Amino acid sequence: MFAYIIKRLLWLIPVVIGVSLILFGIMQLVPGNPAAIMLGTNATPAAIKALNEKFGFNEPFHIRYFLMLKNFITGELDSIYYGDEVINIISNRLIPTIELGLLSLIIAVLVAIPTGVIAAVKKNSLFDLISMFIATIGISVPAFFTGIIFIYIFSVYFPFFPSSGYGGRIWTLSGLRHLVLPAFALSTVMIASTSRITRSSMLDIMKEDYLVTARSKGVAEKVIILKHAFRNALIPIITNIGNQLAMMFGGAILIESVFAWPGVGRLAVSAVEARDQPLVFGSILILSILFVLVNLLVDIIYVFINPQISYK
Amino acid sequence: MKNKFLVLLLVSLFMVSVFSAVQAQEKVTEEFVMGIEDEVSNLDPGETTISVNERVASLIFDGLVRYGKANKIVPGIAKDWTISENEMEYTFELREGVLFHNGQELTAEDVEYTYQRILNPEYGSGLRAKIESIKSIEVIDDYTIKFTLNEPYAPFMLGMTFGIIPKEYAEKIGNEELGRNPIGTGPFKLEEWSPGNQIVLSAYQDYWDKVPNIKKLVIRSIPESATQAMELRSGGIDFGVNLDVGQLESFRNNPDFKVKTAAGAGINFLGFNFDMAPTNERKFREAVLQAVPFDQMIPQIFGILGERAYSMLPPTLWPEEREYLKENAVGFDPEAAAQKFEELKAAGVIPEDYVARVYVSNSRPNQVKTAEAMVTALNQAGLRAEVKAMEFGTMWDMLGRGEIGMFFLRFVSDPDPDYWLYRFFKSDGSLNRAFYENDQVDQWLEKARSISNQAEREDLYQKVLRKVLIEDLVFHPLAHSNQIYVMQDEVQELNPGNSLIIPLVTPTANVYKE
């Protein structure tokens, strides 16, 4: 197991190199020059040239790539737009992003899994129909729309929560109050997909012969569902949650914009708009490392759920 | 016992009356929260070419001079100045006792350092272009400084609005750190900066001019217009600047809010490429303008966000030339347009498979709508056309390389015609994206910036505007963007007017909440 984790972590090296090469290549193909965008309407050719010189954009491709990768690894990569170290900027944003992601994960798991299990056990009941209908709506309605509706109901009409912004760390009251609405809005999509997967995965398992055997042995229905069926149904559910969580870290851009949340997603978008190459490079690389780590975590959780799975 | 009670009552009554009297007189506002449309990335006043940075930095830093009523230049840190006979030497007399937020006094050394830093090409400041005419800077004594120019440059005074930074502090911490921990002499000082979320400023009690009524100012970046509207409704912010048409209407009819507008937040215009066929043909450009009913479209699309423009210059800026330009602008005449397109096709100027592409930045919804309506009108007049809405950085790059024939742009600058015209219409102007070349226009523009006689300058700019907008149809002005402030009803003395600053403490206003 330990060897496996080390091996997986070592795999990060080729992943980082691959991602960084693709990323750097794409950034070269994207039209637009950071100096021209930064200087905007005041740009003179001389000023653009000077700025390009300052940021080393006049060097050949491979030299710039290695320079950027080296600076990324040593933490010296400097953002053009923010005039600060990329690592500082990202770590400032990463905490709000992780707080938002984790809270909506917890909400989603607490709501979606019981819903999915009950819907599967009571297949075709009223509860099943209604919950799956709501889940379909949840998948179809974009999260930013849900977000705006939430703000209108819970902050303008009934002023329970602040409409937007970051209120501090999650353990402070203000931080938690600011976090509630975006977390619920973000969790809707995850609730919808997780409850549907839970339901279908449970239904598959419930057809298995060993459950019939267990029933004929006289095992209580509760134990059959929770211990035998649910545990075996968990693998696809966990996989789905892992993917969703990893996407949340980078992909909550719309929710971040609606709630003016200072997260990594918005940062990456504004970095692209400003053609801030070092910041794009740094933030996407960090997000992809996070993605790999979350997936590794999911693989480790498999072992605990199903002892038949083992890694060598 | 009875007496005691009476005394207590009287005392408390007295206290209440004193207290309420004080409250009625004082305009002190404990906290004021405003929303801005973008995130502040850097507060170094030498690097603030990005609009939101510039506006927030203007609260923390002061320049030698500043904008007063109707954007006239009025004294700032400099209480007076003299300009030499040949208009090449500007001598400023600084106020004594102006203190930076760290308690140090501002001297001419700091002013010199500020300008030398921006002039240094290696620093790469976007502001350098505005003061390139400086030949030398001389500190005469602690409170006197002299700028000598290479040649007379009329808009020079606008460059004297740059925020002055403390030399000792800046040298100690370096440029990067200055952008994050700015220290100026402005009415507010930085308290806390939570990146991407909010900036907290506090009133600087030792400010040389009037101390702000607002004690604590919170500036929150709220990119979504809908969210800003809801923050206003829920009372989360006192003041917002980023609302679009639909939401504005509901605020206008609501007595709990004030909506104020002012012209002059920029010009939206249509431009043509003179290096590319068929946009280099005057007949083609005229036909395009005749084919599209801009006069009807603009009010419908822009609503209160803008007004129909006929000049490149905002209505607040001289010379007053709008009447002439309006009367002589190309009007809507679809039949004439159709005929011209027909003739141009027959003559081979418009190739058989030609599709006119109108480029527009997708971050400007009103321009996109205008472009879409324009394309419909062009198709009706017999010219195949389509909209290319793209991300601004990409479009900007293509424009620079001359790959775009027709484009929509928006531009805003400081209040001097030179800033608005020179860079677009001078052959080697930095923003000459039309690739327009005309010797006479070059001469007029060059001359107008080197003289200071107002009447003569007005005359020259009049000639330039008539030549490029009416005779040559280089650009077609569409709409002057309005600056729109929405605020809670109790906010007082907050008026739009200059889009480069946040007018919380100005020579004419000191904002407070009732």
Side-chain angles (χ1 to χ4, degrees):
Chain A
M1 183 72 184
F2 183 71
Y4 172 76
I5 294 175
I6 296 293
K7 202 170 97 187
R8 280 287 293 267
L9 287 177
L10 283 177
W11 264 105
L12 260 178
I13 296 168
V15 167
V16 165
I17 291 174
V19 169
S20 64
L21 261 177
I22 295 171
L23 194 61
F24 196 76
I26 291 176
M27 285 189 319
Q28 303 314 306
L29 295 176
V30 173
N33 172 326
I37 290 171
M38 223 178 124
L39 293 172
T41 50
N42 292 302
T44 57
I48 291 178
K49 206 172 146 234
L51 211 59
N52 277 335
E53 198 74 46
K54 183 175 162 189
F55 293 119
F57 286 125
N58 295 334
E59 304 287 337
F61 181 88
H62 61 279
I63 293 183
R64 277 183 295 141
Y65 171 73
F66 283 115
L67 207 64
M68 207 173 258
L69 195 62
K70 191 198 105 201
N71 285 341
F72 173 75
I73 292 164
T74 55
E76 285 165 4
L77 201 58
D78 269 337
S79 155
I80 298 169
Y81 187 65
Y82 291 87
D84 193 1
E85 276 168 11
V86 167
I87 192 85
N88 282 342
I89 303 169
I90 294 174
S91 54
N92 269 329
R93 308 302 176 95
L94 208 55
I95 296 166
T97 298
I98 290 177
E99 286 175 356
L100 179 61
L102 285 185
L103 186 62
S104 40
L105 172 81
I106 292 169
I107 296 171
V109 167
L110 287 182
V111 177
I113 292 187
T115 312
V117 171
I118 296 172
V121 172
K122 303 192 170 169
K123 196 183 157 199
N124 294 334
S125 67
L126 195 63
F127 178 87
D128 180 26
L129 288 176
I130 293 176
S131 59
M132 285 308 117
F133 180 69
I134 294 174
T136 312
I137 295 178
I139 288 183
S140 327
V141 176
F144 70 88
F145 183 72
T146 326
I148 288 176
I149 298 291
F150 277 16
I151 299 179
Y152 188 73
I153 297 175
F154 298 109
S155 147
V156 178
Y157 204 73
F158 302 110
F160 297 140
F161 296 105
S163 328
S164 68
Y166 183 69
R169 296 288 175 249
I170 189 168
W171 51 84
T172 61
L173 180 66
S174 152
L176 196 61
R177 284 192 47 197
H178 279 85
L179 187 56
V180 170
L181 286 187
F184 267 98
L186 186 59
S187 69
T188 50
V189 174
M190 194 158 160
I191 289 176
S193 76
T194 309
S195 62
R196 285 172 66 94
I197 285 189
T198 308
R199 178 177 176 272
S200 67
S201 164
M202 278 296 281
L203 284 177
D204 281 349
I205 300 284
M206 305 259 274
K207 288 183 209 131
E208 295 287 333
D209 291 344
Y210 61 83
L211 289 186
V212 180
T213 314
R215 266 198 201 98
S216 58
K217 274 201 311 190
V219 179
E221 190 66 19
K222 213 198 255 167
V223 178
I224 290 180
I225 290 165
L226 290 182
K227 199 173 165 203
H228 297 276
F230 178 61
R231 195 163 179 173
N232 284 303
L234 257 178
I235 296 285
I237 300 173
I238 298 282
T239 313
N240 176 54
I241 290 177
N243 282 341
Q244 297 249 355
L245 184 67
M247 302 243 278
M248 261 184 201
F249 286 146
I253 298 158
L254 292 173
I255 287 289
E256 284 173 7
S257 303
V258 168
F259 287 94
W261 194 257
V264 181
R266 242 174 88 200
L267 180 74
V269 171
S270 60
V272 172
E273 275 173 359
R275 300 290 188 276
D276 188 342
Q277 296 189 2
L279 188 55
V280 176
F281 191 81
S283 53
I284 305 278
L285 268 193
I286 287 181
L287 285 176
S288 42
I289 292 173
L290 262 183
F291 204 99
V292 172
L293 291 182
V294 169
N295 274 308
L296 175 60
L297 200 68
V298 168
D299 286 349
I300 294 170
I301 292 174
Y302 286 163
V303 179
F304 290 101
I305 296 169
N306 186 348
Q308 280 183 347
I309 298 175
S310 66
Y311 302 117
K312 285 183 193 102
Chain B
M1 186 67 204
K2 207 179 177 188
N3 262 347
K4 261 188 188 170
F5 183 72
L6 205 71
V7 168
L8 199 73
L9 193 80
L10 277 175
V11 166
S12 55
L13 256 176
F14 177 74
M15 293 277 279
V16 165
S17 62
V18 166
F19 210 71
S20 54
V22 166
Q23 265 189 341
Q25 277 167 10
E26 282 206 12
K27 294 169 173 178
V28 168
T29 302
E30 287 300 325
E31 191 180 69
F32 186 86
V33 188
M34 63 172 290
I36 49 173
E37 69 274 26
D38 258 321
E39 176 191 332
V40 175
S41 62
N42 188 335
L43 284 174
D44 182 337
E47 291 185 25
T48 57
T49 44
I50 296 151
S51 157
V52 282
N53 294 355
E54 189 165 357
R55 279 182 275 149
V56 174
S58 77
L59 296 169
I60 300 172
F61 293 92
D62 270 336
L64 290 179
V65 297
R66 51 186 172 159
Y67 294 111
K69 210 171 181 179
N71 291 331
K72 289 255 161 21
I73 296 282
V74 298
I77 290 171
K79 59 182 175 193
D80 202 5
W81 57 88
T82 50
I83 304 170
S84 68
E85 198 71 15
N86 64 2
E87 289 165 13
M88 282 164 52
E89 284 174 19
Y90 289 69
T91 312
F92 291 88
E93 207 181 311
L94 309 186
R95 278 173 218 275
E96 292 180 26
V98 173
L99 298 180
F100 283 109
H101 299 156
N102 60 4
Q104 261 180 352
E105 193 187 0
L106 180 146
T107 66
E109 295 266 331
D110 299 308
V111 180
E112 188 205 6
Y113 178 78
T114 301
Y115 281 94
Q116 292 293 9
R117 191 175 74 122
I118 292 169
L119 280 170
N120 180 0
E122 272 172 36
Y123 174 54
S125 169
L127 296 175
R128 186 167 178 263
K130 295 185 180 180
I131 54 166
E132 266 175 333
S133 53
I134 294 177
K135 186 169 133 198
S136 66
I137 305 173
E138 193 186 334
V139 175
I140 293 172
D141 60 43
D142 271 2
Y143 304 106
T144 317
I145 188 160
K146 187 167 91 180
F147 292 83
T148 309
L149 310 190
N150 286 317
E151 56 195 343
Y153 180 58
F156 177 72
M157 282 304 279
L158 300 189
M160 297 294 106
T161 55
F162 298 170
I164 305 297
I165 57 172
K167 178 180 180 183
E168 201 179 301
Y169 176 74
E171 277 181 339
K172 197 175 78 198
I173 63 167
N175 288 335
E176 245 180 49
E177 195 58 30
L178 184 72
R180 288 191 297 280
N181 291 304
I183 285 187
T185 62
F188 291 95
K189 59 179 179 181
L190 182 72
E191 289 292 333
E192 183 204 323
W193 183 348
S194 142
N197 185 36
Q198 63 179 27
I199 290 182
V200 181
L201 306 177
S202 69
Y204 181 42
Q205 295 302 331
D206 293 326
Y207 189 46
W208 60 270
D209 199 5
K210 51 189 170 196
V211 175
N213 285 329
I214 296 167
K215 275 193 168 165
K216 181 181 172 197
L217 172 66
V218 181
I219 302 174
R220 294 184 42 196
S221 82
I222 307 177
E224 235 348 275
S225 167
T227 310
Q228 247 191 50
M230 280 191 270
E231 282 283 8
L232 275 165
R233 283 184 212 283
S234 68
I237 57 176
D238 296 305
F239 162 47
V241 284
N242 178 36
L243 298 166
D244 60 33
V245 188
Q247 284 140 2
L248 282 171
E249 285 306 320
S250 64
F251 282 106
R252 274 176 122 186
N253 304 327
N254 189 332
D256 294 340
F257 298 99
K258 279 191 275 209
V259 178
K260 295 185 182 178
T261 64
I267 176 78
N268 299 272
F269 61 89
L270 165 69
F272 297 100
N273 187 338
F274 275 57
D275 252 5
M276 207 173 174
T279 46
N280 55 0
E281 286 284 333
R282 190 188 186 281
K283 192 170 174 184
F284 177 82
R285 297 196 296 277
E286 191 180 3
V288 168
L289 298 181
Q290 280 180 328
V292 187
F294 286 114
D295 282 339
Q296 289 165 34
M297 281 158 45
I298 301 294
Q300 280 175 21
I301 292 171
F302 281 77
I304 67 167
L305 290 176
E307 61 182 88
R308 178 75 170 108
Y310 295 97
S311 170
M312 286 296 286
L313 305 175
T316 47
L317 189 57
W318 54 276
E320 186 45 65
E321 181 61 359
R322 267 153 285 279
E323 274 313 306
Y324 177 87
L325 295 174
K326 182 179 177 179
E327 259 150 47
N328 293 283
V330 176
F332 178 50
D333 188 349
E335 276 144 39
Q339 200 189 340
K340 285 201 181 77
F341 286 136
E342 212 53 57
E343 287 166 16
L344 287 166
K345 275 180 195 161
V349 176
I350 300 178
E352 197 67 33
D353 55 349
Y354 180 73
V355 180
R357 292 195 176 85
V358 182
Y359 285 78
V360 59
S361 156
N362 57 15
S363 57
R364 300 226 178 275
N366 293 322
Q367 287 187 3
V368 175
K369 282 180 212 157
T370 313
E372 280 163 355
M374 174 177 164
V375 160
T376 312
L378 288 177
N379 278 314
Q380 273 169 5
L383 179 74
R384 272 171 53 209
E386 63 184 32
V387 176
K388 284 271 182 190
M390 47 171 56
E391 188 260 343
F392 181 75
T394 310
M395 176 175 149
W396 193 239
D397 202 54
M398 290 177 72
L399 265 176
R401 281 184 274 129
E403 292 167 3
I404 290 178
M406 279 190 259
F407 50 88
F408 282 70
L409 279 180
R410 187 174 120 171
F411 176 74
V412 64
S413 191
D414 307 12
D416 190 290
D418 180 73
Y419 281 35
W420 295 74
L421 302 177
Y422 188 91
R423 57 189 87 186
F424 284 117
F425 302 114
K426 181 88 178 4
S427 307
D428 58 353
S430 58
L431 293 179
N432 185 2
R433 296 294 190 258
F435 301 94
Y436 175 70
E437 281 180 29
N438 185 296
D439 289 343
Q440 191 152 40
V441 171
D442 284 0
Q443 279 169 21
W444 288 334
L445 285 169
E446 204 57 65
K447 183 156 184 230
R449 62 159 42 177
S450 66
I451 55 174
S452 66
N453 182 319
Q454 179 74 10
E456 237 178 295
R457 290 191 75 200
E458 279 188 24
D459 185 52
L460 287 165
Y461 286 124
Q462 217 162 45
K463 282 184 185 156
V464 171
L465 285 169
R466 288 181 186 197
K467 174 77 178 157
V468 297
L469 297 184
I470 303 294
E471 207 172 305
D472 287 349
L473 304 176
V474 187
F475 288 168
H476 184 70
L478 300 171
H480 298 295
S481 284
N482 284 335
Q483 210 187 346
I484 299 183
Y485 286 4
V486 184
M487 60 198 90
Q488 309 281 355
D489 190 47
E490 69 257 29
V491 176
Q492 303 294 332
E493 292 191 18
L494 180 56
N495 292 303
N498 184 332
S499 58
L500 304 174
I501 59 170
I502 300 170
L504 295 177
V505 183
T506 67
T508 51
N510 193 348
V511 174
Y512 64 97
K513 277 200 290 186
E514 256 176 1

